[in-house]
Amino acid sequence: MTAPAGLTWSLRGRGADDVPVLADSGTPAGTAEGTGRGVRVCVVDSGIERDHPLVGPLQGSWVVGKDPHTKETVVRPTDTGDTCGHGTACAGIIRRTAPDCELYSVRVLGERFSGTGEMLLAGLRWAVEQRFDVVNLSLSTTRTRFLEELHSLADDAYFARTAIVASAHNTPVESFPWRFSSVISVGSHQEDDPDLHLYNPEPPVEFFAPGQNVRVPWLGGSTIRTTGNSFATPYVAGLCARILSRHPRLTTFQLKDALYLSAANVRLGPRPSAPTTESPHDQQY
């Protein structure tokens, strides 16, 4: 499948100097100020391995499943940890980026990365209802029958000041919820700097972060190297936690502004001169 022209799902073959963006001058909201202290970050994924040395303590862990009696989808506390490693990897990146944040887990994936749109919706809805500050969602669905409900849920989060940081699909296909403007969408870049993010001047995806050949924690206290937009997303979630630890009243659109102004490819410059206005009597028709 051929990707559409322009920058979309990931940044490959280009770097910060190839995507310059001019912004108005002023004081950018720094992302290096805070450590994430006091910020509640929820990872909706495959669970998180407890006591992994690169993840540290969890403040709470839940799992989405079917009630054996009612057959309804429910969210309940769990101590089962991670089923496949993906959630632990994301949690480790968040911990490295925002070491003092509070980490929570909602497991919606099973072994071999298996899951359903219903479980994704249930886990995300529960996280939004708990009013977490940041929700890391390194998942998406291509099933359009979930589009309307996911869109409504993303809007609810946006107005409730819960920032959903959502991973773009790794291939150029339509998936959700990262395509919604009410979430903070993330793809990966190939820069060598592990602490650098970029703004995308040609969305749909809004930001690029390190996610190619990155070392991440995995099951059994181990680490691996892996690639994907999934692993760029928790870096941006961690940046959000750092910003919110110093500016806890920021809305999601203000978080986007802070990420935009601190992106490595955004250059601050003078405002363009305003055009000269003419009197209606001077206009030629």
Side-chain angles (χ1 to χ4, degrees), residues 2-74:
T2 302
L7 303 176
T8 52
W9 285 259
S10 64
L11 189 65
R12 296 178 183 174
R14 291 199 256 184
D17 292 336
D18 300 311
V19 286
V21 178
L22 186 63
D24 291 336
S25 59
T27 303
T31 58
E33 293 178 340
T35 62
R37 184 175 301 278
V39 179
R40 300 163 68 234
V41 182
C42 182
V43 179
V44 179
D45 210 285
S46 63
I48 299 174
E49 181 173 284
R50 291 180 177 274
D51 303 319
H52 193 293
L54 298 181
V55 175
L58 291 180
Q59 273 64 46
S61 184
W62 293 265
V63 62
V64 178
K66 293 288 187 181
D67 184 284
H69 304 293
T70 66
K71 306 303 181 183
E72 294 180 351
T73 301
V74 295

Side-chain angles (χ1 to χ4, degrees), residues 57-183:
L58 291 180
Q59 273 64 46
S61 184
W62 293 265
V63 62
V64 178
K66 293 288 187 181
D67 184 284
H69 304 293
T70 66
K71 306 303 181 183
E72 294 180 351
T73 301
V74 295
V75 182
R76 60 181 184 272
T78 183
D79 58 2
T80 53
D82 191 346
T83 57
C84 61
H86 193 265
T88 299
C90 293
I93 294 169
I94 294 169
R95 180 65 75 198
R96 179 180 71 83
T97 310
D100 294 327
C101 74
E102 298 177 13
L103 269 178
Y104 300 81
S105 170
V106 177
R107 179 158 64 87
V108 297
L109 290 181
E111 296 179 1
R112 301 178 183 175
F113 306 94
S114 60
T116 66
E118 287 89 353
M119 295 179 70
L120 171 61
L121 265 172
L124 183 58
R125 183 184 302 108
W126 185 87
V128 171
E129 289 172 350
Q130 306 313 303
R131 303 182 73 88
F132 288 108
D133 301 301
V134 180
V135 174
N136 187 90
L137 190 67
S138 291
L139 310 170
S140 66
T141 178
T142 59
R143 302 295 179 87
T144 55
R145 66 189 179 94
F146 299 114
L147 191 156
E148 185 174 346
E149 192 170 354
L150 269 175
H151 202 170
S152 177
L153 185 56
D155 284 348
D156 289 344
Y158 179 87
F159 291 120
R161 298 193 180 190
T162 291
I164 297 176
V165 186
S167 172
H169 203 282
N170 285 320
T171 59
V173 298
E174 290 283 2
S175 64
F176 311 95
W178 74 271
R179 289 288 270 125
F180 305 145
S181 59
S182 50
V183 308

